[in-house]
Amino acid sequence: MRRNGSLLVIDDEEIMREILEALLTREGYDVRLAASGAEGIDLAKSVPIDAAIVDVMMPGMDGIAVLDELKKHDDELPVLMITAFASVENAISAMKRGAFDYITKPFKNDEVLVVVRNALERRQLIAENTALRQNLQAQQQKFAGIIGRSPRMKQVFDLIIQAAPSRSTILITGESGTGKELVARAIHNNSARSDRAFVTVNSGNLPSDLLESTLFGHVKGAFTGAVYPKKGLCDLADKGSIFFDEIGNIPLETQAKLLRVMQEREFMRLGGMETIKVDVRIIAATNCDLKEMVDEGSFREDLYYRLHVINVYLPPLRERKDDIPVLVHHFLEKYSEENRKPGIELTADALDLLMDYDWPGNVRELENVIERAVVLTTGARIDADLIPENVRSSPTFQIPRFVVPPEGISFKDVITNVEKRLIESTLEAAGGVQKRAAELLRIKPTTLNEMIKRYEIGPRRKKNGIRPDEGGEQESKPSSTRPRSAFPATELTRD
Ligand SMILES: Nc1ncnc2c1ncn2[C@@H]1O[C@H](COP(=O)(O)OP(=O)(O)OP(=O)(O)O)[C@@H](O)[C@H]1O
Ligand SMILES: [Mg+2]
């Protein structure tokens, strides 16, 4: 029985074998004996052992040759050499060839036990390390290489694990470049469907009949040019998962058919009459506000609720900056390998720049910056000069310095005015698109819209309104009684 570990003793002298067997068995080790090198190697190949004790001086195959053979079979096996005091040289050359330690004859029992214990500890450590590494690799594969250690990403990982096994439809939301496609893959990989197909549909801007023929196939003669019947992606994804990248792009007519696949698990080919049964798990991603699209009438409400059963939201990178260093490390490894430039590192200054930046393009943008830097660098270190200009000098927001006039000023008026100007400047930065402006200000579009109405911010005003270079002068005069110096408009802009 294995208690403390199993040891293999290889010694041609019977008396030595007996002494070691008695000593080590008493300590609770499982001991195997071999009288020659060849016998020992056979044993090592047929039973699991944790460490070997090998006599250096043996007739036939000597201890050093045995050591070499044992290492060939199991590189991590700790091998202890026993040598006569007179031939320590041999022992040292054995150490150079990878022996773990050596014991000189005559030896004290304690001495042997200490060395054996060390060897087994080392063995244990290596085993744990290997298991850990394998575990990590498996984890990485399961999570489709999604890197992240922030609490927000941990929540995402938990949700993936919880949601993956069911057949429920999953909607993945988040800004562009946050990793929605990776999450879709991870959900598939962690589901019982993982050995079946994962099919991606790039809904793009395909007209609805082309999209439908791609999804559901068509019958012969369904349209001009449909000479042969054709199967669709839904057939391909049967028993697997189908991923709709940007579900918001799917035309209304096709949405109805998709709903049918979800609810009834069936579809019809384009131009066909026959219903076809299918078992697919639907995963969808979007960076649009589907609820808003429902309100506008461009997305079916019933489909929206069907999709919304489980929602995985990927926070933008700027809200989980503690992921930046691990992502940088990951991309450095990826691109230094790809470009055969091993061991490239980022300087602390360069990393600081990356930490300060807001990453509107999220992880995709970070990945591009690292790839570029790795390609361009001539040395092993990437310094701030290899970080693109726009990342280095990202516009920072400045709170204006208020000068309160001696007679005082109405707090409410100031706040109102600041709010108004902030909205105007943001609308301008967003090219007049309210939805984008709301995103920039991290408020709901409806809230923004209310404020625009309340402050009577009109499109004309937006056009002629505050410009960083104009200082907003024409504007502040008629509309206010406060001294202009209280809040110079220029400082409220992004530049
Ligand atoms: N957490 C992450 N770990 C490692 N790589 C990531 C991570 N998130 C995103 N990426 C990488 O960033 C790029 C963009 O990711 P992905 O295509 O999944 O984003 P997306 O949210 O689908 O964007 P879009 O809405 O533009 O389609 C990919 O190259 C992806 O490998
Ligand atoms: Mg995508």
Side-chain angles (χ1 to χ4, degrees):
M1 194 177 58
R2 287 181 73 184
R3 279 159 295 187
N4 293 337
S6 63
L7 303 171
L8 170 64
V9 174
I10 308 177
D11 201 316
D12 59 313
E13 282 177 69
E14 192 176 357
I15 181 81
M16 283 303 294
R17 292 199 300 273
E18 280 173 4
I19 291 172
L20 285 168
E21 184 183 26
L23 171 67
L24 297 168
T25 312
R26 202 166 59 220
E27 285 298 307
Y29 297 112
D30 179 17
V31 184
R32 305 267 178 168
L33 301 175
S36 72
E39 193 189 327
I41 289 159
D42 280 350
L43 257 176
K45 285 181 182 167
S46 54
V47 294
I49 55 166
D50 298 312
I53 303 176
V54 181
D55 189 17
V56 174
M57 299 285 271
M58 285 190 289
M61 195 179 193
D62 73 1
I64 306 283
V66 174
L67 166 71
D68 286 347
E69 278 303 306
L70 288 173
K71 286 275 167 190
K72 251 189 241 165
H73 173 62
D74 175 0
D75 187 36
E76 311 284 12
L77 181 76
V79 180
L80 305 167
M81 309 304 292
I82 306 179
T83 173
F85 184 65
S87 60
V88 170
E89 304 257 293
N90 275 338
I92 290 172
S93 85
M95 297 285 289
K96 285 186 186 149
R97 302 169 83 106
F100 178 71
D101 207 341
Y102 65 91
I103 307 159
T104 47
K105 283 191 278 196
F107 48 74
K108 294 201 185 85
N109 288 354
D110 281 353
E111 198 186 334
V112 175
L113 293 179
V114 167
V115 178
V116 166
R117 209 172 301 136
N118 287 345
L120 291 176
E121 260 176 34
R122 150 82 83 89
R123 178 72 162 177
Q124 179 71 20
L125 225 106
I126 290 173
E128 277 168 13
N129 256 333
T130 315
L132 231 117
R133 221 178 15 239
Q134 281 168 351
N135 221 331
L136 217 79
Q137 271 167 0
Q139 280 295 88
Q140 279 219 353
Q141 282 226 318
K142 273 203 145 171
F143 284 117
I146 309 176
I147 307 292
R149 63 160 187 211
S150 62
R152 306 276 305 263
M153 281 309 284
K154 288 208 176 107
Q155 282 176 1
V156 170
F157 292 135
D158 288 347
L159 196 55
I160 290 174
I161 291 292
Q162 283 166 11
S166 77
R167 190 185 170 274
S168 309
T169 298
I170 298 196
L171 179 66
I172 307 165
T173 51
E175 289 177 13
S176 183
T178 45
K180 296 188 290 295
E181 183 159 355
L182 291 185
V183 168
R185 280 181 190 282
I187 289 166
H188 175 77
N189 290 353
N190 283 281
S191 75
R193 298 167 178 262
S194 60
D195 53 348
R196 306 302 285 255
F198 173 86
V199 175
T200 301
V201 183
N202 288 311
S203 342
N205 295 317
L206 291 184
S208 70
D209 48 354
L210 193 54
L211 177 61
E212 283 176 22
S213 120
T214 309
L215 281 178
F216 309 122
H218 58 246
V219 297
K220 188 177 161 186
F223 47 86
T224 348
V227 188
Y228 301 103
K230 197 183 124 245
K231 288 188 173 181
L233 293 179
C234 278
D235 298 87
L236 201 66
D238 194 27
K239 311 240 164 20
S241 313
I242 189 160
F243 170 52
F244 287 88
D245 202 0
E246 204 37 78
I247 188 104
N249 284 346
I250 294 198
L252 275 167
E253 308 96 275
T254 317
Q255 289 176 22
K257 298 188 176 161
L258 202 57
L259 192 65
R260 182 166 175 199
V261 175
M262 282 183 193
Q263 287 178 337
E264 322 291 339
R265 304 188 184 188
E266 60 186 32
F267 64 89
M268 272 197 246
R269 301 217 187 283
L270 202 67
M273 300 294 286
E274 188 195 347
T275 50
I276 298 160
K277 285 280 173 198
V278 68
D279 168 22
V280 291
R281 200 246 184 106
I282 295 185
I283 307 173
T286 184
N287 51 33
C288 308
D289 185 343
L290 290 184
K291 186 80 187 76
E292 199 172 279
M293 290 181 66
V294 169
D295 294 342
E296 284 168 3
S298 55
F299 202 83
R300 289 181 68 109
E301 190 168 23
D302 44 9
L303 181 60
Y304 171 76
Y305 285 111
R306 272 273 152 187
L307 281 173
H308 228 272
V309 180
I310 299 172
N311 180 200
V312 180
Y313 170 66
L314 280 169
L317 189 56
R318 62 179 171 277
E319 286 176 19
R320 47 177 168 108
K321 287 198 168 174
D322 33 348
D323 283 338
I324 293 178
V326 272
L327 282 166
V328 166
H329 180 77
H330 170 72
F331 293 134
L332 274 178
E333 274 194 344
K334 177 175 168 185
Y335 289 105
S336 56
E337 193 177 323
E338 219 175 278
N339 292 283
R340 292 169 205 275
K341 292 183 173 178
I344 291 189
E345 284 175 16
L346 207 71
T347 65
D349 282 352
L351 184 63
D352 279 350
L353 288 174
L354 303 186
M355 293 296 284
D356 284 344
Y357 183 57
D358 248 10
W359 301 108
N362 294 294
V363 183
R364 180 181 291 119
E365 189 182 3
L366 175 63
E367 180 168 0
N368 292 344
V369 166
I370 300 295
E371 180 181 4
R372 174 183 179 275
V374 170
V375 170
L376 294 183
T377 188
T378 45
R381 287 159 76 79
I382 293 173
D383 207 350
D385 59 331
L386 284 176
I387 305 300
E389 184 57 34
N390 69 310
V391 175
R392 272 190 282 168
S393 57
S394 66
T396 48
F397 179 79
Q398 279 180 8
I399 299 280
R401 213 177 64 77
F402 296 103
V403 182
V404 180
E407 71 277 15
I409 191 164
S410 154
F411 176 79
K412 236 178 113 201
D413 281 356
V414 175
I415 297 299
T416 304
N417 197 278
V418 168
E419 264 187 17
K420 194 170 163 189
R421 291 196 179 190
L422 179 60
I423 291 169
E424 285 171 333
S425 303
T426 314
L427 275 169
E428 192 176 274
V433 181
Q434 285 191 21
K435 186 169 162 266
R436 176 74 192 128
E439 272 169 22
L440 288 174
L441 292 173
R442 321 228 171 106
I443 55 175
K444 283 195 206 136
T446 45
T447 312
L448 179 71
N449 192 262
E450 269 167 31
M451 289 166 120
I452 289 174
K453 283 187 193 142
R454 194 183 329 139
Y455 296 138
E456 297 174 334
I457 302 173
R460 233 190 70 218
R461 192 150 198 177
K462 204 167 54 202
K463 231 175 169 181
N464 311 327
I466 307 167
R467 283 253 153 101
D469 46 345
E470 287 167 2
E473 242 158 297
Q474 336 97 302
E475 237 233 320
S476 56
K477 262 185 224 153
S479 65
S480 77
T481 49
R482 305 155 321 275
R484 256 184 43 223
S485 57
F487 21 78
T490 35
E491 293 178 22
L492 267 175
T493 62
R494 281 166 59 90
D495 292 45

